[in-house]
Amino acid sequence: MLPTSKALMVQGTTSDAGKSVIVAGLCRVLARRGVKVAPFKPQNMALNSAVTKDGGEIGRAQAFQAFACGIEPTVHMNPILLKPSTDCAAQVIVQGKAVDAMDTIGFRSYKAFAMTPVLDSFSKLSSEYECVLIEGAGSPAEVNLRENDIANMGFAEEADVPVIIVADIDRGGVFAHLVGTLDCLSQSERDRVVGFVINRFRGDVSLLEPGLEWLEEKTGKPVIGVVPYLQGLMLDAEDAIDTKQDELDSSGSILNVAVPVLPRISNHTDFDALRAHPQVNLEYVAPGKPIPSCDLIVLPGSKSVISDLTSLREFGWDKQIQKHLRYGGKVVGICGGYQMLGKHISDPLGLEGHKLETKGLGYLDAMTVIEKEKVLTQKSGHLHLNGKVSPITGYEIHMGVTTSKGVSPVVCEEGDDGLINSDNNIFGTYWHGLFDQPEALKLILEWAGLEDTKDIDLVKEKQHSLDVLADTLEEYLDLGLLFSNTLKTDC
């Protein structure tokens, strides 16, 4: 075991109970009090990922939690990342590097060995930081996944860390969720649960108090707090697509943007800045639904680009994109979307699925080959559109190597990256984070047809949201109980 007195693990009764948000908020609470704190998630399954400075890949939620701490993310904050490529297979990334693609049965066997790098990364963080806030995955009550568990109680037992359990009352059945979860645990696992957090509560908390008293009497565990339902926060999603957006400014022009949701869509956090912009009406188009009339279509990244391109055609989106362009619309492709806009895509090693090649949509003079070595890099450069130039920063995560002929809208120190067509109505690039810089976002929106474009700063929006979240946790959680009984620190 690796005993530590300054770590806390946040587990949940279900996926999307609010573990990522609670960890991010607590990271900000401690960081504001001068505590050197870091996030950690032993195992993550998500298609939203981020690139660290040293060229590793981790879950986007852990990169955002590091942002909440005011520190640079490292590969040790998420040592095991699973990126699903089909319903039964995923790419396995260990301490930032892709090691293999495994099916469900294969990963169950691999879990017996995965604890070693998980504990290695946790040990490194524990030696460098005063506090480590750990996020579980899914639920510890998934008894079918208990053998060699590295994500929840298996890790907590091995690392000897205390646990709080979060439940989402907005789903209903919150008391059954908490009591049932506890009943699925072994005695030693129940003993390390120090209390509960009820998340996303609406209404008068006094109406809940009889239930809270019953829960504490039934389980012998305290309710550390009831967190209200928070709306309008700009926080990075771990995997689920957040379709909510800020209220539109009806006093000026509006740009309508559509993002087709591919079956294996990845890094949809690229579009958070569009959701936050008061002049952008962003609509995610569900699989099989028609693309609405709009000014701009953005084809997102994909973990399985050939399979997703096949689905795009099956949904009829290829013909709807043609019609959109005939009526004067614009199209942008990001990463996998860029590959789809080219002439041809091949996967000779079958790295992303069974189908090895397909014709692209043919709008850009580009050819892509999926190769085993993944490109993982942070980048900086300039965006060139409509005779204007804007500095940009971003990152690349892809296994495709694209050769192209023509002019790129994105230019960096390493050369051109992407392609724009001669009609100036379609461009593609490998860069994620393209919309995050205020100047670049304004330039793209103007290129797409928006007039009198307002400025927004996504980083400031996220900083503000984290401070609101931290303020809320400080108000509604018993932090004295939480920190004195778990982190053993005078926070």
Side-chain angles (χ1 to χ4, degrees), residues 8-206:
L8 171 67
M9 189 168 195
V10 178
Q11 298 184 14
T13 56
T14 62
S15 294
D16 200 32
K19 300 183 294 292
S20 297
V21 171
I22 295 296
V23 169
L26 290 175
C27 281
R28 178 53 61 97
V29 166
L30 293 180
R32 293 196 308 194
R33 299 184 181 200
V35 178
K36 191 178 179 185
V37 58
F40 179 70
K41 184 159 185 169
Q43 175 189 307
N44 198 349
M45 178 178 284
L47 289 176
N48 282 345
S49 58
V51 177
T52 61
K53 273 193 171 180
D54 56 355
E57 186 176 7
I58 63 172
R60 185 127 200 108
Q62 281 60 66
F64 184 70
Q65 289 160 357
F67 176 75
C69 298
I71 59 177
E72 278 290 331
T74 75
V75 296
H76 298 297
M77 294 173 184
N78 176 208
I80 304 293
L81 174 62
L82 308 178
K83 302 189 75 173
S85 53
T86 70
D87 288 344
C88 298
Q91 183 182 62
V92 180
I93 296 163
V94 179
Q95 291 181 330
K97 300 298 182 184
V99 296
D100 209 344
M102 297 185 187
D103 60 16
T104 307
I105 303 301
F107 184 70
R108 282 180 180 171
S109 301
Y110 176 77
K111 284 201 302 183
F113 304 96
M115 185 65 83
T116 298
V118 164
L119 293 177
D120 173 64
S121 289
F122 178 63
S123 180
K124 284 182 169 62
L125 291 180
S126 297
S127 66
E128 295 173 10
Y129 292 89
E130 296 175 274
C131 299
V132 180
L133 295 178
I134 308 156
E135 180 187 340
S139 165
E142 294 163 349
V143 294
N144 55 308
L145 301 177
R146 298 294 294 280
E147 186 178 2
N148 297 321
D149 171 49
I150 61 174
N152 289 299
M153 282 298 179
F155 170 80
E157 293 272 84
E158 190 69 26
D160 190 22
V161 296
V163 173
I164 63 170
I165 298 180
V166 178
D168 178 6
I169 196 171
D170 199 50
R171 295 170 180 260
V174 69
F175 300 116
H177 282 171
L178 288 167
V179 173
T181 297
L182 212 61
D183 283 349
C184 289
L185 305 179
S186 69
Q187 186 59 54
S188 64
E189 292 167 345
R190 285 196 292 269
D191 289 344
R192 70 177 57 255
V193 175
V194 297
F196 306 123
V197 171
I198 294 178
N199 194 27
R200 300 186 182 125
F201 178 73
R202 307 173 194 249
D204 185 350
V205 74
S206 65

Side-chain angles (χ1 to χ4, degrees), residues 218-481:
K218 175 77 173 178
T219 64
K221 308 289 185 183
V223 176
I224 297 166
V226 178
V227 180
Y229 196 104
L230 296 175
Q231 301 190 57
L233 298 186
M234 184 55 60
L235 306 173
D236 282 10
E238 182 169 58
D239 208 34
I241 296 177
D242 189 349
T243 59
K244 296 185 287 294
Q245 66 179 76
D246 288 356
E247 187 173 336
L248 293 175
D249 182 355
S250 58
S251 64
S253 59
I254 298 295
L255 190 81
N256 293 302
V257 180
V259 178
V261 178
L262 304 167
R264 298 296 169 190
I265 185 173
S266 65
N267 284 64
H268 53 73
T269 49
D270 281 335
F271 312 117
D272 285 351
L274 296 175
R275 285 196 300 114
H277 199 286
Q279 294 172 278
V280 174
N281 176 36
L282 177 69
E283 182 171 345
Y284 285 104
V285 185
K289 299 295 183 181
I291 297 176
S293 176
C294 60
D295 303 292
L296 173 65
I297 294 174
V298 186
L299 294 182
S302 165
K303 184 63 189 73
S304 187
V305 65
I306 292 179
S307 173
D308 274 354
L309 182 52
T310 299
S311 296
L312 182 150
R313 289 184 167 118
E314 290 174 350
F315 300 151
W317 287 342
D318 55 337
K319 293 180 174 58
Q320 292 165 34
I321 291 171
Q322 287 179 355
K323 181 179 178 180
H324 167 79
L325 290 167
R326 285 200 305 270
Y327 280 83
K330 301 284 180 75
V331 175
V332 173
I334 305 294
C335 198
Y338 168 41
Q339 295 172 351
M340 293 178 190
L341 290 173
K343 291 184 174 180
H344 190 267
I345 306 168
S346 63
D347 182 7
L349 300 177
L351 297 171
E352 293 192 348
H354 300 297
K355 191 169 183 180
L356 300 182
E357 62 179 351
T358 188
K359 288 183 178 180
L361 297 174
Y363 293 113
L364 298 176
D365 191 359
M367 310 278 283
T368 298
V369 178
I370 308 298
E371 296 186 354
K372 191 170 185 179
E373 190 67 28
K374 179 180 281 194
V375 176
L376 295 166
T377 181
Q378 295 183 354
K379 306 190 81 169
S380 60
H382 292 84
L383 176 66
H384 297 250
L385 284 176
N386 284 354
K388 299 180 180 179
V389 181
S390 169
I392 53 173
T393 59
Y395 60 99
E396 291 188 21
I397 303 175
H398 57 91
M399 298 176 73
V401 174
T402 299
T403 55
S404 60
K405 297 178 181 178
V407 176
S408 172
V410 177
V411 179
C412 57
E413 292 180 0
E414 294 81 7
D416 298 346
D417 194 346
L419 200 60
I420 189 166
N421 69 341
S422 58
D423 291 333
N424 193 38
N425 63 348
I426 304 170
F427 80 79
T429 178
Y430 273 119
W431 282 44
H432 294 284
L434 192 66
F435 303 112
D436 291 356
Q437 288 81 49
E439 288 183 45
L441 176 60
K442 186 174 183 178
L443 186 54
I444 294 170
L445 295 181
E446 290 175 348
W447 170 81
L450 185 62
E451 299 176 353
D452 301 320
T453 307
K454 293 180 169 59
D455 293 326
I456 69 160
D457 189 325
L458 189 63
V459 172
K460 287 184 179 179
E461 293 273 346
K462 291 181 177 180
Q463 293 282 19
H464 173 69
S465 292
L466 281 166
D467 283 331
V468 170
L469 175 60
D471 290 343
T472 302
L473 296 187
E474 289 189 326
E475 180 177 355
Y476 290 95
L477 297 186
D478 187 344
L479 297 181
L481 170 66

